[in-house]
Amino acid sequence: MTGTFLGMPAFPQAAAAALRDGRLRANLRHATHTIRDKRARAVAELDDWAELRAAGKAIKDHTLRHLDRYLVQLEEAVAAAGGAVHWAADAEEANRIVADLVHATGETEVVKVKSMATQEIGLNEALAAEGITAYETDLAELIVQLGDDRPSHILVPAIHRNRAEIREIFAERMAAWGRPAPADLTDSPAELAEAARLHLREKFLRARVAVSGANFMVAETGTLVVVESEGNGRMCLTLPRTLISVVGIEKVVPTWRDLEVFLQLLPRSSTAERMNPYTSLWTGLGPSKGADGDGPSAFHLVLLDNGRTTALADQVGRQALRCIRCSACLNVCPVYERAGGHAYGSVYPGPIGAILTPQLRGITSPVDASLPYASSLCGACYEVCPVAIDIPEVLVHLRERVAEQGGHPLERAAIAAAGYLFDHPAALAAAERLAGRTRALHPRRLPGPGRAWTDTRDLPQVPAEPFRDWWRRNRS
Ligand code: SF4
């Protein structure tokens, strides 16, 4: 992952700042509750949801176990269909490859389909440094780009903005990026959508290069799949002459039959729809092979690792690679609902971000080491996850890793003392008696790193008599 978000404060500080923003909390509460209720209704329509969920999990686990084989099969199939495959070990390499491909076309502009992978590698910034302007075409991504903002949700990147704010952004910023917003623009959804449509239309018609991600890649035929709701993706995938797709290696599925499972799981879990309004599929250059017919005349697939093989090596953490980016876990998370997406310091916010980012970026920076603690461990995320990622299990596992790399000296001393006492029953019994006799002297708040814990909780009182003494006196 790039350092796009690095340098941000750790989660507790970033979340504390977000909590003071009443408008942000109101926007988030309204949006997440609306989406989560709709999702619950869409899922309840299917009697076999549990079986679909189990199948999605099993397919992903199987694919991850044989990832090397399926990636090679995919590469061969894409090449046989007229596409070129490039392998990128990290963000820098992926950005270099894309920039070189765009330079080779002689163009200085690209249109983009909404893509988490390209945000993860900071592609827009890398292209800008090379003199190439990337235009986001997804409505929410457009709002984020025009507002010089950062996405705060996987599916609805501008979820932290309300209609009035969006109108303001369009009115003030659209002209700097192309066709201006109408002078009499109001905050009605239809008018805002129309302003975006007209603004984007000229870019679709002008663009010669498009950059996309993909939701899935089918190994057996080399087919890429993008699912979306607006149709902007379809325009990017078909109008430009060169298409460059940057896709994480975990997005591969073996067969079309496997794809069928995910095309049922994803729309209901993400937008609460029975099927996606636009499902675009392409195999290499397609039947026209780029001759006067439809579609690009050059297709490049950039397969991105960027920490994924490190995550794959972790037997507990690797389940995060099953994620299909539906964002259902964000919409039910009480922590996300209050803190918002920016507090996670990464393009992957919410529960999935708390387990994916530390695995992709490592846990050496304060923000990454704080992410596994950005959860109440209530388990709501696991309940709704369509591929049954046990997010609480991975959070606890990652907390262990953070603890192992060393915490506050007082915390380490307390854990070492506890370890000794639990290993020595006589010493534990003596410590309990001593604690009972000195209870009047105990502080009401913990010092050092424990202080944050007792800021919002009462420290339980030590009983005057240890349980084991009470038991001996009353029961023996
Ligand atoms: S972890 Fe599960 S619920 Fe969350 S975005 Fe990924 S697939 Fe969806």
Side-chain angles (χ1 to χ4, degrees):
M1 250 183 187
T2 65
T4 309
F5 287 75
L6 291 182
M8 281 200 56
F11 184 83
Q13 288 80 46
L19 287 173
R20 287 192 287 273
D21 186 338
R23 183 157 71 166
L24 172 75
R25 291 180 62 178
N27 292 352
L28 283 171
R29 183 179 162 73
H30 173 72
T32 54
H33 280 252
T34 305
I35 307 174
R36 82 162 73 155
D37 295 346
K38 281 171 69 181
R39 176 213 157 266
R41 285 195 294 275
V43 165
E45 285 180 356
L46 291 186
D47 293 336
D48 63 348
W49 182 256
E51 287 81 6
L52 269 175
R53 186 178 187 240
K57 172 182 185 288
I59 293 166
K60 282 283 182 179
D61 280 345
H62 167 84
T63 313
L64 289 171
R65 259 200 313 280
H66 305 284
L67 193 58
D68 50 347
R69 173 151 63 87
Y70 288 119
L71 286 172
V72 170
Q73 188 186 8
L74 174 83
E75 180 184 31
E76 289 168 358
V78 170
V85 178
H86 311 258
W87 298 81
D90 54 26
E92 198 182 337
E93 192 175 3
N95 288 333
R96 180 77 265 145
I97 292 168
V98 177
D100 286 349
L101 290 170
V102 180
H103 282 316
T105 66
E107 295 294 324
T108 55
E109 291 182 344
V110 302
V111 285
K112 281 188 69 205
V113 186
K114 180 179 177 325
S115 148
M116 297 304 295
T118 58
Q119 283 177 24
E120 175 190 320
I121 61 176
L123 180 66
N124 290 11
E125 295 83 353
L127 290 180
E130 296 272 338
I132 300 163
T133 307
Y135 295 112
E136 296 290 349
T137 64
D138 172 83
L139 177 57
E141 292 289 1
L142 175 70
I143 295 164
V144 168
Q145 185 172 49
L146 294 179
D148 201 16
D149 200 352
R150 282 177 287 115
S152 66
H153 190 276
I154 291 176
L155 192 69
V156 198
I159 196 169
H160 55 290
R161 299 288 194 188
N162 61 26
R163 284 192 276 140
E165 291 173 283
I166 294 167
R167 194 210 72 82
E168 209 175 298
I169 290 169
F170 279 11
E172 286 177 9
R173 299 284 301 151
M174 255 185 182
W177 287 80
R179 182 183 171 122
D184 56 351
L185 182 68
T186 73
D187 66 2
S188 100
E191 280 193 37
L192 293 173
E194 180 65 3
R197 200 174 70 83
L198 294 172
H199 178 82
L200 290 171
R201 181 57 56 99
E202 63 169 32
K203 294 190 166 44
F204 290 133
L205 296 176
R206 198 174 64 214
R208 292 286 171 269
V209 183
V211 175
S212 83
N215 295 92
F216 306 100
M217 303 181 287
V218 184
E220 66 177 350
T221 55
T223 303
L224 271 71
V225 184
V226 162
V227 295
E228 43 136 359
S229 301
E230 297 169 11
N232 63 300
R234 175 82 48 95
M235 302 279 261
C236 291
L237 296 168
T238 50
L239 290 176
R241 306 307 293 162
T242 300
L243 172 60
I244 305 166
S245 300
V246 183
V247 190
I249 52 175
E250 81 284 17
K251 298 286 178 180
V252 67
V253 295
T255 66
W256 281 73
R257 205 178 161 141
D258 300 321
L259 178 64
E260 182 209 339
V261 172
F262 297 106
L263 291 185
Q264 294 178 74
L265 286 171
L266 182 55
R268 287 179 194 261
S269 299
S270 54
T271 48
E273 289 165 308
R274 292 175 182 141
M275 66 181 290
N276 283 94
Y278 295 88
T279 302
S280 300
L281 305 103
W282 70 101
T283 305
L285 290 177
S288 72
K289 300 289 181 207
D292 305 323
D294 298 334
S297 54
F299 169 58
H300 298 270
L301 170 60
V302 182
L303 289 171
L304 177 71
D305 183 336
N306 206 31
R308 285 158 175 79
T309 46
T310 308
L312 191 61
D314 184 323
Q315 292 194 6
V316 178
R318 71 170 58 144
Q319 57 186 303
L321 298 178
R322 293 205 295 259
C323 176
I324 56 173
R325 312 279 190 266
C326 71
S327 75
C329 57
L330 278 65
N331 301 328
V332 296
C333 176
V335 176
Y336 175 86
E337 183 188 322
R338 286 157 181 85
H342 292 158
Y344 293 80
S346 152
V347 296
Y348 299 112
I352 182 59
I355 62 169
L356 190 60
T357 306
Q359 295 197 76
L360 297 182
R361 292 201 303 214
I363 48 173
T364 48
S365 76
V367 61
D368 294 329
S370 70
L371 288 176
Y373 298 90
S375 168
S376 64
L377 299 180
C378 69
C381 47
Y382 172 56
E383 294 296 318
V384 297
C385 178
V387 284
I389 299 173
D390 192 340
I391 293 175
E393 181 190 25
V394 183
L395 285 167
V396 172
H397 169 68
L398 292 173
R399 288 180 188 187
E400 262 175 53
R401 279 179 44 195
V402 173
E404 275 164 13
Q405 78 178 7
H408 192 282
L410 272 175
E411 197 179 336
R412 285 206 302 274
I415 296 293
Y420 177 85
L421 289 175
F422 291 138
D423 250 1
H424 298 82
L428 178 61
E432 284 171 348
R433 280 188 205 109
L434 182 65
R437 286 186 198 124
T438 57
R439 61 204 286 262
L441 305 172
H442 293 177
R444 305 304 301 156
R445 298 174 72 185
L446 289 172
R451 193 185 162 135
W453 198 81
T454 48
D455 273 351
T456 50
R457 298 170 185 84
D458 291 332
L459 198 59
Q461 262 217 323
V462 175
E465 182 181 30
F467 174 75
R468 70 179 78 214
D469 290 353
W470 178 92
W471 183 265
R472 200 173 293 119
R473 200 158 45 75
N474 289 286
R475 294 282 191 273
S476 60

